Amino acid sequence: MRGAIAKLQSPVNLKLTIFTFLCFFFVFLIVHSSFSSSSSPSSSDSIMSYVKTQNCPSNCNKIPPSLSDAIIHYATSNITPQQTAKEISVTDRILRRKSPSNFLVFGLGYDSPMWASLNHGGRTVFLEENQGWITQIKKEFPTLESYLATYDTKVRHAEELMTKAATMEACSSVVDPRESKCDLALKSLPKEIYEVEWDLIMVDAPTGYHDEAPGRMSAIYTAGLMGRNRENGETDVFVHDVDRVVEDKFSMEFLCQGYMVEQQGRLRHFTIPSHKARLGRPFCPPTKPT
């Protein structure tokens, strides 16, 4: 009887022994793997490389200065951004996908801290026509990167500039704006503006609501030229105040109706592909059917 029981227990004990051994073996592997990963120089280098690419500060669990400045500003100010929530959501959606990115904004205003925060980890640059306003904003938000932009156009010249551009071959040539012979190209912006490939460009300046204002003709044209002139990829360009004649006509003409993705309120969104990556592209693609 005992012999029978012993024979019955023998395979059970063997299975139990094997199972116990396998458990200890897997635990050992897990512990060893965790220890090796934490102490391996190659793993450490990979983590540090990732952190560097994210422009992560030394203490990543703290709110970055740009974000804390924006929170305080909007929490204590009665002044709201000029764009509506629905308009802002268009650019925010692209920033969620592309950030950290290079974001160029024509205009420096009450929405600037918001744009810089939404592009956290990227580079957000603002171009402003008024040096006094730049100085004032820098005192309040010293982390914002802004530069003076000068314009030699007037809103009252818009129709003449449009007519002339339509007959000038130079205005449909894809070159560095500084080398363009088109009267609409901005050639005197700070050097660093031309040396960056911008992933997003927002045209919400210069002033364009009266005849003697500079108008946004050149800003719109130059934004499109920068997008076409990049080495590869595409640039998302946003134009605000398209309820006005200049912004409406110049965005459709030089950013092209065929490149328009959507319009929300007074904001239009265009996606401009690189013309260098595929030579022979027409300045504007065929118009999309409505």
Side-chain angles (χ1 to χ4, degrees):
M1 182 72 177
R2 286 182 181 178
I5 293 173
K7 287 181 181 178
L8 184 63
Q9 287 179 333
S10 179
V12 173
N13 290 337
L14 180 62
K15 288 180 181 179
L16 183 61
T17 301
I18 293 172
F19 177 77
T20 304
F21 172 78
L22 288 175
C23 286
F24 276 105
F25 178 73
F26 282 118
V27 169
F28 171 79
L29 282 180
I30 292 168
V31 172
H32 178 73
S33 176
S34 299
F35 177 79
S36 299
S37 297
S38 63
S39 60
S40 169
S42 60
S43 176
S44 175
D45 290 344
S46 297
I47 293 171
M48 288 307 297
S49 175
Y50 174 78
V51 169
K52 287 178 181 177
T53 60
Q54 298 303 306
N55 293 323
C56 189
S58 57
N59 196 345
C60 288
N61 61 351
K62 289 188 176 181
I63 295 176
S66 61
L67 181 55
S68 61
D69 286 348
I71 292 172
I72 293 170
H73 171 68
Y74 294 116
T76 60
S77 175
N78 291 325
I79 302 173
T80 57
Q82 293 181 339
Q83 295 187 28
T84 66
K86 287 185 178 181
E87 291 167 354
I88 291 170
S89 69
V90 175
T91 310
D92 176 53
R93 188 168 64 250
I94 304 303
L95 282 169
R96 285 173 184 266
R97 178 167 56 88
K98 283 191 167 185
S99 66
S101 60
N102 293 321
F103 187 12
L104 179 65
V105 182
F106 284 84
L108 180 66
Y110 295 112
D111 54 358
S112 298
M114 175 189 66
W115 295 130
S117 297
L118 292 176
N119 188 34
H120 173 58
R123 185 182 183 187
T124 308
V125 176
F126 302 92
L127 295 174
E128 171 57 39
E129 65 197 278
N130 188 321
Q131 182 60 58
W133 183 242
I134 292 177
T135 303
Q136 182 178 333
I137 291 294
K138 273 188 175 293
K139 289 180 181 178
E140 189 173 355
F141 304 103
T143 61
L144 294 181
E145 184 179 0
S146 56
Y147 299 95
L148 181 67
T150 57
Y151 302 90
D152 55 6
T153 56
K154 303 286 186 186
V155 171
R156 57 185 170 85
H157 298 147
E159 189 173 344
E160 178 186 343
L161 287 166
M162 174 74 80
T163 302
K164 189 174 181 181
T167 60
M168 285 185 68
E169 186 177 345
C171 291
S172 58
S173 298
V174 179
V175 297
D176 185 306
R178 292 169 292 185
E179 299 172 3
S180 176
K181 295 187 181 341
C182 182
D183 292 343
L184 286 168
L186 289 170
K187 305 176 180 68
S188 59
L189 296 175
K191 184 176 72 170
E192 45 266 76
I193 301 301
Y194 301 104
E195 295 175 349
V196 174
E197 286 197 344
W198 301 102
D199 303 302
L200 297 87
I201 302 178
M202 171 74 71
V203 181
D204 205 0
T207 308
Y209 59 83
H210 60 87
D211 283 351
E212 295 306 311
R216 300 177 185 173
M217 300 81 72
S218 293
I220 292 170
Y221 176 82
T222 303
L225 202 56
M226 286 176 170
R228 292 178 177 88
N229 198 50
R230 66 183 294 151
E231 290 298 326
N232 51 63
E234 59 187 27
T235 303
D236 290 281
V237 180
F238 309 88
V239 180
H240 194 226
D241 297 317
V242 294
D243 55 320
R244 300 194 303 221
V245 174
V246 167
E247 285 80 355
D248 175 30
K249 289 187 175 181
F250 276 76
S251 65
M252 285 303 199
E253 183 70 20
F254 298 109
L255 299 179
C256 306
Q257 185 174 353
Y259 287 146
M260 191 174 86
V261 179
E262 66 178 306
Q263 178 172 335
Q264 181 64 253
R266 297 176 298 150
L267 185 85
R268 276 187 195 147
H269 172 206
F270 300 82
T271 300
I272 312 295
S274 164
H275 282 221
K276 283 188 173 182
R278 200 184 98 188
L279 298 178
R281 284 184 189 269
F283 191 80
C284 280
T287 303
K288 297 175 183 177
T290 55

